[in-house]
Amino acid sequence: PDLQNADLTDAATRAQVHAQLTEKIEELRAAYYQDSLLVSDAEYDELVHRLEDLEAKFPELVTDSSPTQTVGGVVDTSTFDPVEHIGPMYSLDNVFDYDELRAWYERVRSATSVKSKFLCELKIDGLAVNLLYRNGELVRAATRGDGRIGEDITANVRTISDIPHHLDTEHPPAEVEIRGEVFFPVEEFAELNASLVAEGKAPFANPRNSAAGSLRQKDPAVTARRPLHMLVHGIAVWTAADDSHPEPAHQSEVYEQFRSWGLPISDYFKVLDTVDEIEDFIAYYGEHRHDVTHEIDGIVIKIDDIAVQETLGYTSRAPRWATAFKYPPEEVTTKLIDIQVQV
Ligand code: NAD
């Protein structure tokens, strides 16, 4: 049977469809995280959605290694040293329309007694990077990898001028892990591709791909020549040096603290309360996404109160206290993914 018309009342067929979807998603993920692109993001998301639907109907199909349960990146140990993140790096769950957004909003509101506000920000289409500062010094930078183990790219990250080697404060935490996105500005992307073609080299498929390709270089001198930027948007471990400088209570305050330390923070985030305000924010940047210097593929909505974040916690793949609203694809794809189901 093909995937669309498979007889799901039959347990063996269900298992086969599950295996076929899983295999295809893993293949696409492997290519994507090796910086090549086999299908559009919308087509990939559609496959993952189908797998989620199947698992929701037949929960016995869920395994720990299903793509719905894993972060799904790569660790290239032939080029980079593997490093273990202190706090795991997660992916994000998605919503694709306002009904799904409202359902998520109601779910997190009813699950918590404290009514936190929501921090809304642009979802930067770049590469997730984890920065580790000890006593205010940048000591390590790593890719997300599989979420637990990433690739050590410290030397490459040190060449990015946005990222301070020392935090500008007399009272840094003893240890802090800061997450952000490294990206290639849209305008410079066109110039880079033109120069690659002029050198007889293959151009990059898109700015995200070029950011990943530029950062994951064996030779940091190559990275240094690329105009990479970073914006930080997350925090994992925060070990305060003393009681008088504790971790702030809200994500938005963490951002202000980061800004005062010289870290690059987006100018576009807003703390909002109602789901109507969140929808307005999403609609505004849906209209203005090309006014931003980097590509965005959605809006991230996070619970602002860190104690409430901790109450909601994480699945094995993503925080329960955040979601990403994905904008519809801008280019209409004409060909649906062709998956051969061999039974
Ligand atoms: P994701 O990119 O949808 O979301 C998680 C990531 O968003 C985080 O790791 C984080 O680094 C990043 N992010 C950007 N801005 C952020 C912000 N403001 N706050 C918090 N996080 C922010 O998830 P993923 O697991 O990295 O990748 C899945 C997505 O990648 C898919 O939905 C698809 O779009 C794409 N993908 C495409 C293919 C393909 O073949 N085309 C294959 C695999 C993945």
Side-chain angles (χ1 to χ4, degrees):
D2 67 33
L3 278 184
Q4 305 279 9
N5 304 315
D7 174 13
L8 296 180
T9 59
D10 175 53
T13 308
R14 291 202 291 272
Q16 277 165 337
V17 169
H18 188 271
Q20 291 280 343
L21 277 170
T22 301
E23 194 185 321
K24 186 72 193 172
I25 291 167
E26 292 296 357
E27 179 195 329
L28 296 175
R29 273 182 168 184
Y32 182 81
Y33 293 112
Q34 298 288 357
D35 309 332
S36 75
L37 209 60
L38 301 179
V39 298
S40 72
D41 288 354
E43 284 174 293
Y44 171 86
D45 288 342
E46 161 68 21
L47 278 182
V48 174
H49 232 54
R50 275 207 250 165
L51 188 65
E52 283 168 354
D53 282 353
L54 185 67
E55 291 184 352
K57 283 192 196 113
F58 305 102
E60 72 278 7
L61 292 171
V62 183
T63 64
D64 287 351
S65 62
S66 168
T68 62
Q69 311 297 311
T70 56
V71 166
V74 289
V75 182
D76 173 4
T77 50
S78 64
T79 314
F80 304 102
D81 290 334
V83 286
E84 188 166 354
H85 305 302
I86 299 174
M89 290 182 80
Y90 292 94
S91 180
L92 282 168
D93 285 336
N94 297 314
V95 292
F96 292 91
D97 57 41
Y98 290 155
D99 286 346
E100 288 182 5
L101 172 72
R102 281 176 184 268
W104 177 81
Y105 181 93
E106 294 306 331
R107 209 164 51 243
V108 295
R109 268 279 153 104
S110 59
T112 53
S113 50
V114 176
K115 300 296 169 227
S116 169
K117 293 191 175 181
F118 293 82
L119 185 147
C120 297
E121 55 190 308
L122 308 187
K123 184 165 185 296
I124 305 148
D125 202 6
L127 184 77
V129 168
N130 189 19
L131 305 175
L132 174 61
Y133 287 88
R134 286 210 177 99
N135 300 315
E137 300 296 316
L138 177 65
V139 293
R140 196 171 78 190
T143 63
R144 193 177 70 181
D146 66 7
R148 202 175 59 82
I149 308 282
E151 297 159 326
D152 190 332
I153 50 163
T154 311
N156 305 46
V157 163
R158 282 185 192 281
T159 70
I160 300 176
S161 58
D162 284 349
I163 302 171
H165 295 190
H166 319 275
L167 298 179
D168 186 12
T169 168
E170 286 178 9
H171 304 285
E175 191 164 72
V176 61
E177 264 193 333
I178 297 170
R179 276 78 196 267
E181 217 68 13
V182 169
F183 61 92
F184 220 96
V186 178
E187 270 184 30
E188 280 95 334
F189 168 69
E191 289 165 21
L192 172 69
N193 264 358
S195 67
L196 286 174
V197 171
E199 290 167 31
K201 295 183 184 151
F204 287 108
N206 55 43
R208 194 212 81 89
N209 194 256
S210 71
S214 300
L215 196 53
R216 296 175 69 242
Q217 288 281 339
K218 204 181 176 74
D219 178 4
V222 177
T223 307
R225 290 198 292 274
R226 305 272 169 87
L228 290 167
H229 287 266
M230 185 171 191
L231 287 169
V232 301
H233 53 58
I235 177 173
V237 175
W238 179 306
T239 310
D242 60 60
D243 292 345
S244 52
H245 298 91
E247 179 180 352
H250 295 88
Q251 181 105 5
S252 47
E253 291 162 348
V254 170
Y255 287 5
E256 295 308 341
Q257 181 98 88
F258 283 172
R259 199 195 297 279
S260 77
W261 291 347
L263 286 159
I265 292 291
S266 173
D267 291 328
Y268 298 105
F269 76 86
K270 269 198 175 150
V271 179
L272 302 172
D273 202 5
T274 67
V275 72
D276 290 340
E277 289 169 343
I278 298 172
E279 281 186 10
D280 288 347
F281 186 91
I282 292 169
Y284 180 84
Y285 284 105
E287 292 277 309
H288 293 86
R289 61 194 283 187
H290 296 298
D291 302 344
V292 180
T293 56
H294 54 80
E295 286 211 328
I296 64 175
D297 61 340
I299 296 296
V300 187
I301 304 123
K302 298 173 183 169
I303 295 267
D304 194 36
D305 184 320
I306 291 173
V308 177
Q309 292 180 0
E310 281 162 10
T311 310
L312 288 165
Y314 299 81
T315 68
S316 57
R317 202 189 75 86
R320 291 197 187 86
W321 47 264
T323 194
F325 183 100
K326 286 279 185 90
Y327 287 124
E330 294 195 290
E331 289 154 70
V332 180
T333 46
T334 49
K335 184 171 159 288
L336 282 177
I337 303 163
D338 173 29
I339 305 174
Q340 304 285 320
V341 180
Q342 277 140 36
V343 187

